[in-house]
């Protein structure tokens, strides 16, 4: 097996371990898009795992995220990155440790855009580590959801344009990401409260957050209308359908969708 084929196999394995929601649609992409979206998603997940880490303290998270953001703004000095994370390497997951591999796996024509979005995400996450993830206003919520999820939408739009010239509206792409994140916030509200984190703006009820999620998911629907490439449409439809179904499940008072419901939702889209 060539080094490239070995890296692709390992990338898909790590992807499966880190994201149930995105692994399924990424597997359905054609070879070029699978490699591109897969590597880009792993880069962002590498950063996300630092922000979410339960054993690293805030100062360490802030420094790792800030320094990684700087490295991504240049040629990405892999030796400097390994040196940066070395004291914490035993605590960090494989997806974070191997950030250099995911960048190497990303096609040369789009890697700069992937680095730019991931760098901005790391910088934004570092800022929110300092704030202790306490959201007070809708503007705070918009800012936080932009950094952690809206930028995924931006990055995907950059990839679609690079791949076949597909043009999409940046604000709608951000709305797509925000909608998915708002559903996560609703789903994880109790868990977040236990660790002293609050993403609901002051005075907001669950109904307010449902309205915020639905508003952004309707932007995601508009975003989808701008895409004509069948393979990309299939990819985008799956996380969106799962988010909408999860929202419905939460409204009905259940905590999450069953595995059977997830599988039937995905099957419906694949067989449309």
């Amino acid at each position: 097996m060539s080094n490239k084929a070995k890296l692709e196999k390992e990338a898909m394995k790590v992807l499966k371990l880190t994201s149930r929601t995105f692994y399924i649609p990424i597997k359905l992409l054609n070879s070029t898009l699978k490699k591109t979206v897969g590597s880009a998603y792993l880069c962002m997940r590498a950063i996300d795992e630092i922000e979410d880490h339960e054993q690293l303290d805030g100062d360490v998270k802030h420094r790792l995220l800030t320094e990684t953001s700087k490295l991504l703004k240049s040629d990405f000095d892999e030796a400097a990155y390994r040196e940066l994370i070395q004291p914490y390497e035993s605590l960090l997951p494989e997806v974070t440790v191997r950030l250099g591999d995911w960048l190497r796996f990303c096609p040369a024509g789009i890697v700069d855009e992937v680095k730019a979005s991931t760098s901005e995400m790391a910088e934004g996450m570092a800022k929110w580590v300092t704030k202790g993830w306490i959201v007070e206003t809708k503007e705070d919520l918009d800012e936080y959801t932009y950094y952690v999820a809206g930028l995924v939408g931006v990055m995907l739009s950059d990839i679609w344009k690079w791949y076949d010239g597909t043009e999409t509206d940046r604000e709608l792409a951000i709305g797509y990401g925000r909608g998915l994140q708002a559903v996560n916030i609703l789903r994880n509200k109790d868990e977040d409260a236990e660790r002293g984190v609050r993403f609901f703006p002051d005075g907001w009820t669950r109904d307010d957050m449902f309205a915020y999620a639905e508003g952004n998911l309707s932007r995601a629907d508009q975003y989808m209308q701008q895409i004509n490439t069948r393979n990309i449409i299939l990819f985008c439809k799956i996380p969106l359908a799962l988010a909408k179904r999860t929202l419905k499940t939460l409204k009905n008072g259940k905590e999450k969708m069953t595995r059977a419901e997830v599988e039937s939702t995905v099957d419906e889209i694949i067989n449309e």
Side-chain angles (χ1 to χ4, degrees), residues 39-264:
S39 60
Y41 183 81
L42 286 168
C43 288
M44 289 192 157
R45 191 63 193 233
I47 300 303
D48 187 54
E49 291 285 352
I50 296 173
E51 187 215 17
D52 281 346
H53 206 289
E54 290 180 3
Q55 290 165 275
L56 299 177
D57 69 33
D59 289 345
V60 170
K61 288 182 181 185
H62 185 274
R63 188 167 61 80
L64 292 179
L65 289 164
T66 304
E67 292 303 317
T68 302
S69 174
K70 286 178 190 168
L71 288 169
L72 287 162
K73 285 187 171 120
S74 61
D75 290 339
F76 193 76
D77 182 337
E78 199 169 344
Y81 178 70
R82 293 305 290 247
E83 193 180 326
L84 173 69
I85 65 167
Q86 194 274 324
Y88 317 101
E89 201 163 325
S90 62
L91 296 173
L92 294 169
E94 183 179 0
V95 68
T96 304
V97 172
R98 296 184 65 182
L99 177 57
D101 279 342
W102 317 141
L103 289 168
R104 208 172 7 262
F105 184 48
C106 190
I110 190 67
V111 72
D112 284 347
E113 285 83 353
V114 170
K115 279 162 60 181
S117 288
T118 310
S119 173
E120 189 179 352
M121 179 182 272
E123 202 173 326
M125 284 178 170
K127 182 178 173 181
W128 277 91
V129 167
T130 307
K131 286 185 175 190
W133 301 279
I134 300 297
V135 166
E136 293 176 344
T137 64
K138 180 183 178 290
E139 288 71 30
D140 285 344
L141 180 62
D142 278 343
E143 184 187 283
Y144 178 74
T145 53
Y146 167 71
Y147 282 127
V148 300
L151 277 164
V152 178
V154 171
M155 178 192 71
L156 289 172
S157 287
D158 284 341
I159 291 171
W160 312 149
K161 187 173 180 181
W162 164 79
Y163 176 69
D164 67 358
T166 295
E167 291 278 1
T168 48
D169 182 283
R170 180 184 159 93
E171 289 307 312
L172 295 180
I174 292 168
Y176 182 108
R178 275 199 180 118
L180 301 188
Q181 188 64 26
V183 173
N184 284 340
I185 288 170
L186 279 158
R187 201 181 62 199
N188 300 328
K189 186 173 186 274
D190 295 341
E191 200 181 294
D192 288 337
E194 276 174 27
R195 58 192 185 100
V197 175
R198 191 196 71 216
F199 296 111
F200 279 56
D202 293 346
W204 272 35
T205 63
R206 254 170 83 85
D207 286 347
D208 291 321
M209 189 62 83
F210 273 113
Y212 181 82
E214 284 161 356
N216 279 296
L217 291 177
S218 74
R219 290 185 186 92
D221 288 330
Q222 290 173 260
Y223 175 74
M224 296 287 299
Q225 287 165 19
Q226 300 181 333
I227 301 168
N228 297 312
T229 308
R230 195 177 179 282
N231 202 217
I232 296 174
I233 291 169
L234 179 65
F235 169 85
C236 292
K237 269 186 173 180
I238 292 173
L240 184 53
L242 290 172
K244 287 179 177 178
R245 188 92 182 255
T246 300
L247 213 53
K248 200 173 172 184
T249 301
L250 291 167
K251 276 192 167 177
N252 291 336
K254 294 181 195 161
E255 270 186 37
K256 61 179 182 180
M257 290 167 68
T258 64
R259 184 171 287 276
E261 285 171 334
V262 170
E263 286 168 2
S264 70

